[in-house]
Amino acid sequence: MPADTVSVTGWGRTAPTAARLVRPRSYEEAAAAVRECGARGGIARGLGRAYGDAAQNAGGAVLDMTGLDRIHTIDADGGTVLCDAGVSLHRLMEVLLPLGWFVPVTPGTRYVTVGGAIGADIHGKNHHGSGSFARHVLSFELLTADGEIRTVGRGTPLFDATAGGMGLTGVILKATVRLQPVETSLMSVDTERAADLDDLMARLTATDHRYRYSVAWIDLLARGTSMGRSVLTRGDHAPLDSLPPRARRHPLVFRPSQFPAAPAFVPEGLLGRSTVGLFNELWYRKAPRARAGELQKISTFFHPLDGVPHWNRIYGRGGFVQYQFVVGHGQEEALRRIIGRISGHRCPSFLAVLKRFGEGDPGWLSFPMPGWTLALDIPAGLPGLSAFLDELDEEVAGAGGRVYLAKDSRLRPELLGDMYPRLAEFRALRAELDPRGVFTSDLSRRLNLQELS
């Protein structure tokens, strides 16, 4: 099978490494690629939206699974789809929305594959009520290191190790996913401003149960009495009778907005404290104090950045770090301290969101747990960033929280066991299932995910 040696990086465009890129077009070719990985092993890769090094493999093989992209069957009565792991959520929306169905969980981009959604156990704005993606997966087929294709059902150790397992148990080939019924392709959205962090948390705690989807953009440069000031955006799929008469003629049309791509070259330092501070001020001021029932496209509500191809270029050649953590309910003071430290460090982040997680799912390395999660982007070249984030890691771990492996590019391995208490079980299952370490990645080597101790 042809393979090219290429430089591979995550969406954050940091720490690129060279690997043999293999593009299987059938299950048989995928099995052959796994057999031929070589001493440095291999890892499956989808559309490359993991921010860090989870889908990189220096000196080894990377299996580009996007060629396996068939939608096999749709049960339009029962609301399930059977599709290959290389099918993107974007493609599912194109096909399913006209039939009155929507994906059960979507992150901030629809350009992720079903295999990647399971491997990272992605979450969205509806986690407080709907959980993460794997909760809606009925079964999947997994190509393991011994060359077998196993049908893996819910409630089994292999399912729980693979959901959130970052591709380290095998290559997901196809999956059956339960869908969300919708009457329209529009969203009914409520927007409001919160004056500070305490105001924000109080609003989310008191009213999140009224909304299927809920998220808050947060100004991490605001300090003093304005620290944590935010814009809340919450909503649900709009019912047919809420649409104006003209829109009811084609209620399920899916036409995402598209803008010019980000330029290939962006000056370093464009997103510094001054420019991001100005953006944050304008964004907060232009948001309505309270607005209810606005109709928005699905793409506008869920995936605004997808409308700008290659938006990750705006950080310049140095790239950026996406940092996401969660701390449990009862750890609100720890959350305040961490946000206070980020604000005091003057981290220039304009893509910062806070939301509440509901009950976690059983994936051994699945990220969500009941509590508060904050995600922020930071230019990788910010002075002192590495040491500062190490300090935040310590605080997160001390509060019983964790960082998200699908976005991580720099966590120290000694903290992993504190953050993920089922890590030893994951390592033991990997040792049994893949004793030669066929499935490996830059992430797994950096964090010693393949070691028993």
Side-chain angles (χ1 to χ4, degrees):
M1 189 185 319
D4 301 317
T5 298
V6 298
S7 179
V8 182
T9 185
W11 193 244
R13 304 175 76 202
T14 59
T17 54
R20 289 184 299 107
L21 189 65
V22 186
R23 299 177 177 88
R25 292 296 184 267
S26 67
Y27 299 163
E28 292 77 16
E29 289 189 0
V34 168
R35 288 194 300 269
E36 298 165 6
C37 276
R40 293 287 287 181
I43 193 71
R45 180 181 177 93
L47 288 167
R49 270 10 183 226
Y51 286 83
D53 53 3
Q56 298 176 214
N57 184 24
V62 169
L63 280 63
D64 179 345
M65 297 301 293
T66 56
L68 292 172
D69 59 355
R70 287 182 57 202
I71 297 176
H72 294 274
T73 58
I74 299 170
D75 181 351
D77 295 321
T80 61
V81 61
L82 171 63
C83 63
D84 285 344
V87 173
S88 69
L89 299 192
H90 173 81
R91 178 62 180 152
L92 286 182
M93 292 176 199
E94 286 183 321
V95 172
L96 296 172
L97 271 169
L99 302 177
W101 296 99
F102 189 63
V103 295
V105 171
T106 178
T109 174
R110 59 186 179 273
Y111 294 112
V112 297
T113 62
V114 168
I118 297 170
D121 199 13
I122 60 170
H123 56 270
K125 298 177 181 180
N126 58 343
H127 190 278
H128 60 286
S130 299
S132 52
F133 193 86
R135 182 181 299 186
H136 307 273
V137 175
L138 304 181
S139 65
F140 53 81
E141 291 196 357
L142 186 73
L143 172 63
T144 50
D146 55 10
E148 289 188 33
I149 297 177
R150 309 182 187 211
T151 299
V152 183
R154 296 184 57 78
T156 63
L158 188 51
F159 188 103
D160 294 343
T162 303
M166 306 310 297
L168 297 171
T169 60
V171 179
I172 300 169
L173 297 176
K174 61 182 177 181
T176 301
V177 182
R178 187 173 54 240
L179 304 170
Q180 168 68 37
V182 295
E183 294 182 13
T184 75
S185 60
L186 294 174
M187 305 296 297
S188 177
V189 181
D190 293 355
T191 304
E192 58 188 283
R193 290 193 300 198
D196 55 39
L197 183 60
D198 288 338
D199 183 25
L200 170 63
M201 290 195 292
R203 291 176 190 237
L204 289 170
T205 301
T207 60
D208 252 6
H209 65 280
R210 301 177 191 169
Y211 297 92
R212 184 183 300 274
Y213 303 100
S214 177
V215 70
W217 169 87
I218 183 169
D219 182 358
L220 291 176
L221 286 175
R223 293 187 287 184
T225 58
S226 296
M227 188 188 80
R229 66 179 182 177
S230 307
V231 179
L232 282 75
T233 308
R234 298 182 286 184
D236 203 341
H237 299 278
L240 183 61
D241 60 12
S242 70
L243 270 57
R246 186 174 181 179
R248 293 183 199 178
R249 299 175 193 167
H250 304 285
L252 291 166
V253 66
F254 179 54
R255 292 180 183 147
S257 302
Q258 193 73 15
F259 301 99
F265 174 77
V266 175
E268 298 298 319
L270 178 66
L271 295 181
R273 292 182 175 113
S274 298
T275 54
V276 172
L278 177 60
F279 171 88
N280 286 2
E281 182 70 26
L282 293 174
W283 191 260
Y284 181 76
R285 295 297 175 190
K286 86 175 189 65
R289 293 185 181 276
R291 180 176 61 203
E294 180 191 12
L295 293 177
Q296 293 184 5
K297 291 181 177 182
I298 275 176
S299 58
T300 301
F301 182 76
F302 289 109
H303 315 119
L305 286 173
D306 282 347
V308 183
H310 307 295
W311 65 263
N312 56 340
R313 294 174 179 170
I314 64 176
Y315 292 87
R317 287 188 296 180
F320 69 103
V321 172
Q322 175 87 182
Y323 186 70
Q324 183 168 9
F325 69 88
V326 58
V327 294
H329 294 304
Q331 293 293 334
E332 286 76 12
E333 191 52 45
L335 179 66
R336 291 187 187 94
R337 279 198 312 273
I338 293 170
I339 290 177
R341 294 186 65 175
I342 294 171
S343 173
H345 198 76
R346 309 295 288 157
C347 289
S349 176
F350 76 98
L351 296 176
V353 296
L354 181 77
K355 58 191 173 188
R356 294 171 71 243
F357 278 157
E359 289 300 317
D361 290 289
W364 294 348
L365 297 186
S366 183
F367 168 67
M369 57 184 280
W372 303 89
T373 181
L374 175 68
L376 62 149
D377 64 297
I378 313 168
L382 187 71
L385 179 61
S386 180
F388 177 66
L389 292 181
D390 284 347
E391 293 172 3
L392 294 190
D393 291 339
E394 296 277 0
E395 188 136 14
V396 168
R402 58 183 64 141
V403 301
Y404 191 16
L405 298 184
K407 295 184 176 180
D408 177 56
S409 58
R410 25 76 42 210
L411 179 69
R412 289 176 291 134
E414 57 266 28
L415 290 177
L416 194 65
D418 295 332
M419 294 180 173
Y420 290 90
R422 303 195 72 174
L423 176 62
E425 294 173 74
F426 178 82
R427 285 171 167 164
L429 184 141
R430 261 188 54 88
E432 178 183 348
L433 194 65
D434 183 9
R436 296 184 295 115
V438 171
F439 297 113
T440 188
S441 65
D442 290 357
L443 173 84
S444 71
R445 280 188 286 267
R446 176 169 56 82
L447 294 179
N448 298 327
L449 282 168
Q450 63 268 50
E451 300 296 331
L452 282 173
S453 60

